[in-house]
mmCIF file of all heavy atoms in Angstrom:
data_model
loop_
_atom_site.group_PDB
_atom_site.id
_atom_site.type_symbol
_atom_site.label_atom_id
_atom_site.label_comp_id
_atom_site.label_asym_id
_atom_site.label_seq_id
_atom_site.Cartn_x
_atom_site.Cartn_y
_atom_site.Cartn_z
ATOM 1 N N GLY G 17 32.679 173.237 66.594
ATOM 2 C CA GLY G 17 32.872 173.237 68.038
ATOM 3 C C GLY G 17 33.002 174.603 68.584
ATOM 4 O O GLY G 17 32.439 174.935 69.683
ATOM 5 N N VAL G 18 33.799 175.408 67.980
ATOM 6 C CA VAL G 18 34.005 176.785 68.420
ATOM 7 C C VAL G 18 32.709 177.565 68.362
ATOM 8 O O VAL G 18 32.317 178.324 69.281
ATOM 9 C CB VAL G 18 35.080 177.476 67.559
ATOM 10 C CG1 VAL G 18 35.194 178.984 67.884
ATOM 11 C CG2 VAL G 18 36.468 176.799 67.797
ATOM 12 N N PHE G 19 31.987 177.403 67.250
ATOM 13 C CA PHE G 19 30.753 178.105 67.120
ATOM 14 C C PHE G 19 29.719 177.735 68.237
ATOM 15 O O PHE G 19 29.144 178.602 68.930
ATOM 16 C CB PHE G 19 30.054 177.764 65.753
ATOM 17 C CG PHE G 19 28.683 178.315 65.583
ATOM 18 C CD1 PHE G 19 28.513 179.674 65.227
ATOM 19 C CD2 PHE G 19 27.577 177.528 65.777
ATOM 20 C CE1 PHE G 19 27.216 180.191 65.068
ATOM 21 C CE2 PHE G 19 26.279 178.015 65.568
ATOM 22 C CZ PHE G 19 26.119 179.355 65.269
ATOM 23 N N PHE G 20 29.555 176.455 68.482
ATOM 24 C CA PHE G 20 28.612 176.040 69.541
ATOM 25 C C PHE G 20 29.166 176.388 70.899
ATOM 26 O O PHE G 20 28.376 176.663 71.864
ATOM 27 C CB PHE G 20 28.383 174.473 69.477
ATOM 28 C CG PHE G 20 27.438 174.132 68.361
ATOM 29 C CD1 PHE G 20 27.852 173.428 67.259
ATOM 30 C CD2 PHE G 20 26.101 174.492 68.419
ATOM 31 C CE1 PHE G 20 26.973 173.099 66.225
ATOM 32 C CE2 PHE G 20 25.188 174.143 67.373
ATOM 33 C CZ PHE G 20 25.643 173.449 66.302
ATOM 34 N N GLY G 21 30.492 176.344 71.097
ATOM 35 C CA GLY G 21 31.041 176.735 72.377
ATOM 36 C C GLY G 21 30.817 178.208 72.701
ATOM 37 O O GLY G 21 30.450 178.537 73.839
ATOM 38 N N VAL G 22 30.944 179.093 71.689
ATOM 39 C CA VAL G 22 30.627 180.483 71.863
ATOM 40 C C VAL G 22 29.152 180.663 72.170
ATOM 41 O O VAL G 22 28.722 181.474 73.003
ATOM 42 C CB VAL G 22 31.073 181.261 70.633
ATOM 43 C CG1 VAL G 22 30.563 182.694 70.734
ATOM 44 C CG2 VAL G 22 32.556 181.273 70.494
ATOM 45 N N PHE G 23 28.320 179.915 71.485
ATOM 46 C CA PHE G 23 26.869 179.977 71.671
ATOM 47 C C PHE G 23 26.507 179.605 73.132
ATOM 48 O O PHE G 23 25.730 180.325 73.772
ATOM 49 C CB PHE G 23 26.170 179.087 70.676
ATOM 50 C CG PHE G 23 24.644 179.038 70.835
ATOM 51 C CD1 PHE G 23 23.886 179.977 70.281
ATOM 52 C CD2 PHE G 23 24.082 178.010 71.552
ATOM 53 C CE1 PHE G 23 22.499 180.006 70.434
ATOM 54 C CE2 PHE G 23 22.669 177.951 71.691
ATOM 55 C CZ PHE G 23 21.886 178.960 71.118
ATOM 56 N N LEU G 24 27.069 178.518 73.645
ATOM 57 C CA LEU G 24 26.764 178.075 74.990
ATOM 58 C C LEU G 24 27.300 179.077 75.979
ATOM 59 O O LEU G 24 26.673 179.341 77.029
ATOM 60 C CB LEU G 24 27.368 176.712 75.236
ATOM 61 C CG LEU G 24 26.721 175.541 74.400
ATOM 62 C CD1 LEU G 24 27.514 174.214 74.686
ATOM 63 C CD2 LEU G 24 25.258 175.367 74.779
ATOM 64 N N GLY G 25 28.523 179.636 75.715
ATOM 65 C CA GLY G 25 29.079 180.593 76.657
ATOM 66 C C GLY G 25 28.332 181.868 76.691
ATOM 67 O O GLY G 25 28.220 182.549 77.710
ATOM 68 N N PHE G 26 27.802 182.274 75.521
ATOM 69 C CA PHE G 26 27.069 183.542 75.499
ATOM 70 C C PHE G 26 25.780 183.525 76.296
ATOM 71 O O PHE G 26 25.452 184.478 77.007
ATOM 72 C CB PHE G 26 26.782 183.856 74.017
ATOM 73 C CG PHE G 26 25.936 185.141 73.827
ATOM 74 C CD1 PHE G 26 26.635 186.382 73.874
ATOM 75 C CD2 PHE G 26 24.619 185.113 73.573
ATOM 76 C CE1 PHE G 26 25.924 187.518 73.642
ATOM 77 C CE2 PHE G 26 23.934 186.273 73.411
ATOM 78 C CZ PHE G 26 24.539 187.508 73.483
ATOM 79 N N PHE G 27 25.082 182.410 76.230
ATOM 80 C CA PHE G 27 23.823 182.326 76.933
ATOM 81 C C PHE G 27 24.039 181.829 78.350
ATOM 82 O O PHE G 27 23.102 181.844 79.192
ATOM 83 C CB PHE G 27 22.841 181.380 76.201
ATOM 84 C CG PHE G 27 22.297 182.019 74.971
ATOM 85 C CD1 PHE G 27 22.799 181.737 73.748
ATOM 86 C CD2 PHE G 27 21.157 182.828 75.042
ATOM 87 C CE1 PHE G 27 22.265 182.329 72.586
ATOM 88 C CE2 PHE G 27 20.605 183.417 73.951
ATOM 89 C CZ PHE G 27 21.216 183.187 72.688
ATOM 90 N N GLN G 28 25.241 181.333 78.663
ATOM 91 C CA GLN G 28 25.594 180.902 80.056
ATOM 92 C C GLN G 28 24.488 179.985 80.605
ATOM 93 O O GLN G 28 23.862 180.323 81.633
ATOM 94 C CB GLN G 28 25.758 182.145 80.961
ATOM 95 C CG GLN G 28 26.985 182.964 80.554
ATOM 96 C CD GLN G 28 27.167 184.170 81.470
ATOM 97 O OE1 GLN G 28 26.329 184.492 82.302
ATOM 98 N NE2 GLN G 28 28.296 184.830 81.275
ATOM 99 N N LEU G 29 24.230 178.918 79.920
ATOM 100 C CA LEU G 29 23.159 177.962 80.374
ATOM 101 C C LEU G 29 23.708 177.152 81.511
ATOM 102 O O LEU G 29 24.644 176.323 81.377
ATOM 103 C CB LEU G 29 22.818 177.079 79.156
ATOM 104 C CG LEU G 29 22.298 177.834 77.915
ATOM 105 C CD1 LEU G 29 22.038 176.816 76.788
ATOM 106 C CD2 LEU G 29 20.999 178.590 78.216
ATOM 107 N N GLU G 30 23.090 177.371 82.697
ATOM 108 C CA GLU G 30 23.574 176.670 83.905
ATOM 109 C C GLU G 30 23.288 175.132 83.806
ATOM 110 O O GLU G 30 24.101 174.358 84.278
ATOM 111 C CB GLU G 30 22.849 177.231 85.153
ATOM 112 C CG GLU G 30 23.245 178.705 85.375
ATOM 113 C CD GLU G 30 22.524 179.263 86.625
ATOM 114 O OE1 GLU G 30 21.807 178.427 87.232
ATOM 115 O OE2 GLU G 30 22.797 180.405 87.005
ATOM 116 N N SER G 31 22.155 174.784 83.289
ATOM 117 C CA SER G 31 21.780 173.357 83.134
ATOM 118 C C SER G 31 22.044 172.827 81.791
ATOM 119 O O SER G 31 21.487 171.797 81.402
ATOM 120 C CB SER G 31 20.291 173.146 83.547
ATOM 121 O OG SER G 31 19.454 173.931 82.679
ATOM 122 N N GLY G 32 22.826 173.543 80.995
ATOM 123 C CA GLY G 32 23.050 173.136 79.603
ATOM 124 C C GLY G 32 24.116 172.038 79.533
ATOM 125 O O GLY G 32 24.697 171.630 80.543
ATOM 126 N N PRO G 33 24.426 171.598 78.332
ATOM 127 C CA PRO G 33 25.405 170.500 78.158
ATOM 128 C C PRO G 33 26.816 171.021 78.440
ATOM 129 O O PRO G 33 27.073 172.233 78.385
ATOM 130 C CB PRO G 33 25.209 170.103 76.681
ATOM 131 C CG PRO G 33 24.673 171.367 76.023
ATOM 132 C CD PRO G 33 23.810 171.991 77.101
ATOM 133 N N PRO G 34 27.768 170.147 78.768
ATOM 134 C CA PRO G 34 29.195 170.581 78.988
ATOM 135 C C PRO G 34 29.796 171.050 77.726
ATOM 136 O O PRO G 34 29.303 170.819 76.617
ATOM 137 C CB PRO G 34 29.821 169.244 79.516
ATOM 138 C CG PRO G 34 28.940 168.186 78.977
ATOM 139 C CD PRO G 34 27.564 168.701 78.965
ATOM 140 N N ILE G 35 30.928 171.701 77.903
ATOM 141 C CA ILE G 35 31.612 172.312 76.755
ATOM 142 C C ILE G 35 32.059 171.334 75.702
ATOM 143 O O ILE G 35 32.104 171.603 74.501
ATOM 144 C CB ILE G 35 32.790 173.249 77.236
ATOM 145 C CG1 ILE G 35 33.323 174.080 76.098
ATOM 146 C CG2 ILE G 35 33.851 172.383 77.829
ATOM 147 C CD1 ILE G 35 32.306 175.080 75.571
ATOM 148 N N TRP G 36 32.437 170.107 76.163
ATOM 149 C CA TRP G 36 32.933 169.097 75.204
ATOM 150 C C TRP G 36 31.820 168.715 74.210
ATOM 151 O O TRP G 36 32.097 168.207 73.155
ATOM 152 C CB TRP G 36 33.465 167.888 75.942
ATOM 153 C CG TRP G 36 32.511 167.161 76.840
ATOM 154 C CD1 TRP G 36 32.395 167.310 78.230
ATOM 155 C CD2 TRP G 36 31.504 166.165 76.468
ATOM 156 N NE1 TRP G 36 31.403 166.465 78.677
ATOM 157 C CE2 TRP G 36 30.880 165.786 77.638
ATOM 158 C CE3 TRP G 36 31.149 165.630 75.264
ATOM 159 C CZ2 TRP G 36 29.839 164.888 77.634
ATOM 160 C CZ3 TRP G 36 30.129 164.700 75.216
ATOM 161 C CH2 TRP G 36 29.449 164.291 76.410
ATOM 162 N N PHE G 37 30.552 168.867 74.663
ATOM 163 C CA PHE G 37 29.452 168.541 73.799
ATOM 164 C C PHE G 37 29.457 169.395 72.536
ATOM 165 O O PHE G 37 28.974 168.996 71.451
ATOM 166 C CB PHE G 37 28.134 168.680 74.537
ATOM 167 C CG PHE G 37 26.891 168.335 73.712
ATOM 168 C CD1 PHE G 37 26.516 167.010 73.517
ATOM 169 C CD2 PHE G 37 26.143 169.314 73.066
ATOM 170 C CE1 PHE G 37 25.433 166.651 72.709
ATOM 171 C CE2 PHE G 37 25.055 168.968 72.300
ATOM 172 C CZ PHE G 37 24.709 167.639 72.150
ATOM 173 N N ALA G 38 29.948 170.658 72.674
ATOM 174 C CA ALA G 38 30.001 171.565 71.558
ATOM 175 C C ALA G 38 30.898 170.962 70.392
ATOM 176 O O ALA G 38 30.626 171.254 69.247
ATOM 177 C CB ALA G 38 30.564 172.911 71.987
ATOM 178 N N PHE G 39 31.879 170.192 70.754
ATOM 179 C CA PHE G 39 32.727 169.583 69.727
ATOM 180 C C PHE G 39 32.246 168.174 69.397
ATOM 181 O O PHE G 39 32.396 167.684 68.236
ATOM 182 C CB PHE G 39 34.183 169.500 70.235
ATOM 183 C CG PHE G 39 34.811 170.847 70.319
ATOM 184 C CD1 PHE G 39 34.718 171.616 71.484
ATOM 185 C CD2 PHE G 39 35.515 171.404 69.261
ATOM 186 C CE1 PHE G 39 35.309 172.870 71.606
ATOM 187 C CE2 PHE G 39 36.100 172.586 69.365
ATOM 188 C CZ PHE G 39 36.033 173.347 70.543
ATOM 189 N N ALA G 40 31.666 167.466 70.354
ATOM 190 C CA ALA G 40 31.197 166.092 70.080
ATOM 191 C C ALA G 40 30.024 166.048 69.099
ATOM 192 O O ALA G 40 29.957 165.168 68.336
ATOM 193 C CB ALA G 40 30.805 165.403 71.401
ATOM 194 N N PHE G 41 29.137 167.013 69.216
ATOM 195 C CA PHE G 41 27.978 167.033 68.350
ATOM 196 C C PHE G 41 28.307 167.173 66.830
ATOM 197 O O PHE G 41 27.970 166.308 66.070
ATOM 198 C CB PHE G 41 26.905 168.070 68.805
ATOM 199 C CG PHE G 41 25.778 168.187 67.878
ATOM 200 C CD1 PHE G 41 24.819 167.203 67.839
ATOM 201 C CD2 PHE G 41 25.646 169.303 67.024
ATOM 202 C CE1 PHE G 41 23.704 167.314 66.980
ATOM 203 C CE2 PHE G 41 24.539 169.429 66.168
ATOM 204 C CZ PHE G 41 23.573 168.400 66.161
ATOM 205 N N PRO G 42 29.013 168.228 66.485
ATOM 206 C CA PRO G 42 29.417 168.368 65.071
ATOM 207 C C PRO G 42 30.400 167.289 64.627
ATOM 208 O O PRO G 42 30.377 166.843 63.470
ATOM 209 C CB PRO G 42 30.021 169.755 64.945
ATOM 210 C CG PRO G 42 30.497 170.065 66.326
ATOM 211 C CD PRO G 42 29.517 169.439 67.233
ATOM 212 N N GLY G 43 31.288 166.823 65.539
ATOM 213 C CA GLY G 43 32.150 165.745 65.225
ATOM 214 C C GLY G 43 31.530 164.453 64.858
ATOM 215 O O GLY G 43 31.843 163.811 63.866
ATOM 216 N N THR G 44 30.450 164.155 65.605
ATOM 217 C CA THR G 44 29.699 162.885 65.318
ATOM 218 C C THR G 44 28.902 163.050 64.025
ATOM 219 O O THR G 44 28.850 162.156 63.208
ATOM 220 C CB THR G 44 28.750 162.544 66.522
ATOM 221 O OG1 THR G 44 29.534 162.416 67.704
ATOM 222 C CG2 THR G 44 27.985 161.300 66.207
ATOM 223 N N PHE G 45 28.231 164.231 63.902
ATOM 224 C CA PHE G 45 27.339 164.400 62.744
ATOM 225 C C PHE G 45 28.170 164.386 61.444
ATOM 226 O O PHE G 45 27.848 163.648 60.550
ATOM 227 C CB PHE G 45 26.627 165.770 62.870
ATOM 228 C CG PHE G 45 25.790 166.141 61.694
ATOM 229 C CD1 PHE G 45 24.519 165.592 61.526
ATOM 230 C CD2 PHE G 45 26.225 167.009 60.721
ATOM 231 C CE1 PHE G 45 23.711 165.952 60.483
ATOM 232 C CE2 PHE G 45 25.480 167.340 59.653
ATOM 233 C CZ PHE G 45 24.186 166.810 59.515
ATOM 234 N N PHE G 46 29.178 165.190 61.387
ATOM 235 C CA PHE G 46 30.004 165.232 60.197
ATOM 236 C C PHE G 46 30.842 163.921 60.017
ATOM 237 O O PHE G 46 31.256 163.550 58.910
ATOM 238 C CB PHE G 46 30.909 166.452 60.144
ATOM 239 C CG PHE G 46 30.135 167.701 59.970
ATOM 240 C CD1 PHE G 46 29.970 168.613 61.001
ATOM 241 C CD2 PHE G 46 29.580 168.027 58.737
ATOM 242 C CE1 PHE G 46 29.245 169.781 60.808
ATOM 243 C CE2 PHE G 46 28.845 169.199 58.575
ATOM 244 C CZ PHE G 46 28.682 170.087 59.595
ATOM 245 N N GLY G 47 31.191 163.289 61.147
ATOM 246 C CA GLY G 47 31.937 162.064 61.057
ATOM 247 C C GLY G 47 31.155 160.966 60.299
ATOM 248 O O GLY G 47 31.715 160.188 59.508
ATOM 249 N N ILE G 48 29.839 160.891 60.569
ATOM 250 C CA ILE G 48 29.005 159.905 59.890
ATOM 251 C C ILE G 48 28.959 160.261 58.405
ATOM 252 O O ILE G 48 29.060 159.331 57.497
ATOM 253 C CB ILE G 48 27.567 159.907 60.458
ATOM 254 C CG1 ILE G 48 27.601 159.409 61.920
ATOM 255 C CG2 ILE G 48 26.643 159.101 59.595
ATOM 256 C CD1 ILE G 48 26.251 159.519 62.602
ATOM 257 N N PHE G 49 28.836 161.513 58.063
ATOM 258 C CA PHE G 49 28.798 161.988 56.656
ATOM 259 C C PHE G 49 30.105 161.625 55.938
ATOM 260 O O PHE G 49 30.053 161.027 54.840
ATOM 261 C CB PHE G 49 28.540 163.483 56.577
ATOM 262 C CG PHE G 49 28.681 164.009 55.195
ATOM 263 C CD1 PHE G 49 27.665 163.886 54.253
ATOM 264 C CD2 PHE G 49 29.848 164.727 54.842
ATOM 265 C CE1 PHE G 49 27.840 164.414 52.985
ATOM 266 C CE2 PHE G 49 30.022 165.243 53.577
ATOM 267 C CZ PHE G 49 28.986 165.126 52.667
ATOM 268 N N PHE G 50 31.227 161.914 56.535
ATOM 269 C CA PHE G 50 32.512 161.676 55.918
ATOM 270 C C PHE G 50 32.820 160.172 55.871
ATOM 271 O O PHE G 50 33.533 159.708 54.910
ATOM 272 C CB PHE G 50 33.615 162.415 56.594
ATOM 273 C CG PHE G 50 33.655 163.909 56.304
ATOM 274 C CD1 PHE G 50 33.517 164.821 57.350
ATOM 275 C CD2 PHE G 50 33.740 164.353 55.017
ATOM 276 C CE1 PHE G 50 33.518 166.190 57.074
ATOM 277 C CE2 PHE G 50 33.802 165.670 54.775
ATOM 278 C CZ PHE G 50 33.607 166.632 55.742
ATOM 279 N N LEU G 51 32.349 159.452 56.794
ATOM 280 C CA LEU G 51 32.597 157.977 56.743
ATOM 281 C C LEU G 51 31.835 157.372 55.624
ATOM 282 O O LEU G 51 32.403 156.470 54.873
ATOM 283 C CB LEU G 51 32.068 157.307 58.083
ATOM 284 C CG LEU G 51 32.185 155.793 58.179
ATOM 285 C CD1 LEU G 51 33.638 155.359 58.035
ATOM 286 C CD2 LEU G 51 31.562 155.291 59.455
ATOM 287 N N ILE G 52 30.598 157.838 55.365
ATOM 288 C CA ILE G 52 29.853 157.385 54.195
ATOM 289 C C ILE G 52 30.590 157.736 52.850
ATOM 290 O O ILE G 52 30.688 156.932 51.955
ATOM 291 C CB ILE G 52 28.430 157.956 54.203
ATOM 292 C CG1 ILE G 52 27.623 157.409 55.389
ATOM 293 C CG2 ILE G 52 27.721 157.638 52.873
ATOM 294 C CD1 ILE G 52 26.274 158.051 55.553
ATOM 295 N N THR G 53 31.126 158.936 52.837
ATOM 296 C CA THR G 53 31.896 159.376 51.672
ATOM 297 C C THR G 53 33.142 158.480 51.447
ATOM 298 O O THR G 53 33.413 158.084 50.347
ATOM 299 C CB THR G 53 32.332 160.832 51.849
ATOM 300 O OG1 THR G 53 31.155 161.677 52.000
ATOM 301 C CG2 THR G 53 33.107 161.313 50.627
ATOM 302 N N PHE G 54 33.842 158.206 52.491
ATOM 303 C CA PHE G 54 35.049 157.375 52.409
ATOM 304 C C PHE G 54 34.698 155.979 51.916
ATOM 305 O O PHE G 54 35.358 155.454 50.981
ATOM 306 C CB PHE G 54 35.684 157.308 53.819
ATOM 307 C CG PHE G 54 36.886 156.330 53.893
ATOM 308 C CD1 PHE G 54 38.107 156.691 53.354
ATOM 309 C CD2 PHE G 54 36.724 155.084 54.494
ATOM 310 C CE1 PHE G 54 39.187 155.825 53.423
ATOM 311 C CE2 PHE G 54 37.747 154.245 54.585
ATOM 312 C CZ PHE G 54 39.046 154.593 54.042
ATOM 313 N N VAL G 55 33.645 155.328 52.497
ATOM 314 C CA VAL G 55 33.317 153.992 52.050
ATOM 315 C C VAL G 55 32.833 153.978 50.644
ATOM 316 O O VAL G 55 33.207 153.088 49.823
ATOM 317 C CB VAL G 55 32.214 153.414 52.999
ATOM 318 C CG1 VAL G 55 31.671 152.123 52.497
ATOM 319 C CG2 VAL G 55 32.757 153.211 54.415
ATOM 320 N N ARG G 56 32.067 155.003 50.239
ATOM 321 C CA ARG G 56 31.545 155.069 48.871
ATOM 322 C C ARG G 56 32.708 155.179 47.884
ATOM 323 O O ARG G 56 32.708 154.483 46.829
ATOM 324 C CB ARG G 56 30.654 156.293 48.748
ATOM 325 C CG ARG G 56 30.021 156.502 47.377
ATOM 326 C CD ARG G 56 29.515 157.934 47.275
ATOM 327 N NE ARG G 56 30.536 158.939 47.289
ATOM 328 C CZ ARG G 56 30.382 160.200 47.589
ATOM 329 N NH1 ARG G 56 29.155 160.641 47.810
ATOM 330 N NH2 ARG G 56 31.391 161.014 47.594
ATOM 331 N N ASP G 57 33.685 156.076 48.074
ATOM 332 C CA ASP G 57 34.771 156.235 47.136
ATOM 333 C C ASP G 57 35.714 155.030 47.140
ATOM 334 O O ASP G 57 36.085 154.579 46.066
ATOM 335 C CB ASP G 57 35.597 157.452 47.554
ATOM 336 C CG ASP G 57 34.809 158.768 47.233
ATOM 337 O OD1 ASP G 57 33.741 158.665 46.562
ATOM 338 O OD2 ASP G 57 35.266 159.818 47.646
ATOM 339 N N ILE G 58 35.937 154.416 48.281
ATOM 340 C CA ILE G 58 36.795 153.242 48.336
ATOM 341 C C ILE G 58 36.178 152.095 47.555
ATOM 342 O O ILE G 58 36.820 151.390 46.789
ATOM 343 C CB ILE G 58 37.080 152.773 49.804
ATOM 344 C CG1 ILE G 58 38.022 153.753 50.503
ATOM 345 C CG2 ILE G 58 37.669 151.363 49.852
ATOM 346 C CD1 ILE G 58 39.402 153.807 49.914
ATOM 347 N N ARG G 59 34.875 151.931 47.741
ATOM 348 C CA ARG G 59 34.182 150.871 46.959
ATOM 349 C C ARG G 59 34.226 151.089 45.502
ATOM 350 O O ARG G 59 34.435 150.170 44.690
ATOM 351 C CB ARG G 59 32.726 150.722 47.484
ATOM 352 C CG ARG G 59 32.572 150.176 48.839
ATOM 353 C CD ARG G 59 31.121 150.079 49.223
ATOM 354 N NE ARG G 59 30.406 149.169 48.333
ATOM 355 C CZ ARG G 59 29.128 148.938 48.441
ATOM 356 N NH1 ARG G 59 28.325 149.561 49.306
ATOM 357 N NH2 ARG G 59 28.505 148.097 47.605
ATOM 358 N N ALA G 60 34.058 152.365 45.096
ATOM 359 C CA ALA G 60 34.083 152.662 43.648
ATOM 360 C C ALA G 60 35.456 152.428 43.046
ATOM 361 O O ALA G 60 35.589 151.854 42.005
ATOM 362 C CB ALA G 60 33.642 154.124 43.447
ATOM 363 N N PHE G 61 36.497 152.802 43.757
ATOM 364 C CA PHE G 61 37.856 152.688 43.278
ATOM 365 C C PHE G 61 38.285 151.204 43.252
ATOM 366 O O PHE G 61 38.952 150.763 42.299
ATOM 367 C CB PHE G 61 38.838 153.490 44.093
ATOM 368 C CG PHE G 61 38.649 154.932 44.074
ATOM 369 C CD1 PHE G 61 39.240 155.785 44.981
ATOM 370 C CD2 PHE G 61 37.795 155.482 43.104
ATOM 371 C CE1 PHE G 61 39.007 157.158 44.937
ATOM 372 C CE2 PHE G 61 37.626 156.891 43.048
ATOM 373 C CZ PHE G 61 38.194 157.675 43.970
ATOM 374 N N ARG G 62 37.920 150.471 44.276
ATOM 375 C CA ARG G 62 38.311 149.071 44.297
ATOM 376 C C ARG G 62 37.514 148.249 43.262
ATOM 377 O O ARG G 62 38.072 147.241 42.735
ATOM 378 C CB ARG G 62 38.057 148.480 45.720
ATOM 379 C CG ARG G 62 39.155 148.895 46.744
ATOM 380 C CD ARG G 62 38.963 148.145 47.991
ATOM 381 N NE ARG G 62 40.137 148.294 48.890
ATOM 382 C CZ ARG G 62 40.243 147.755 50.129
ATOM 383 N NH1 ARG G 62 39.171 147.091 50.627
ATOM 384 N NH2 ARG G 62 41.300 147.963 50.814
#
């Protein structure tokens, strides 16, 4: 989120996405990845 926030602020995109999107995008992307990891390990242990 910090990386994308700095990127958006550097280019000062007037019609670009809001600042919260900088955290929502990596949060969603990595959230799906870690959710798959959690379910996989729980299933293996159980």
Side-chain angles (χ1 to χ4, degrees):
V18 171
F19 174 80
F20 283 113
V22 172
F23 178 82
L24 294 175
F26 178 79
F27 286 96
Q28 297 181 350
L29 302 176
E30 296 181 359
S31 59
I35 190 64
W36 60 262
F37 181 80
F39 292 87
F41 175 72
T44 302
F45 177 81
F46 290 108
I48 294 173
F49 171 79
F50 285 122
L51 179 61
I52 294 174
T53 301
F54 174 76
V55 173
R56 181 196 65 198
D57 288 349
I58 288 294
R59 290 182 61 184
F61 296 165
R62 281 188 169 178

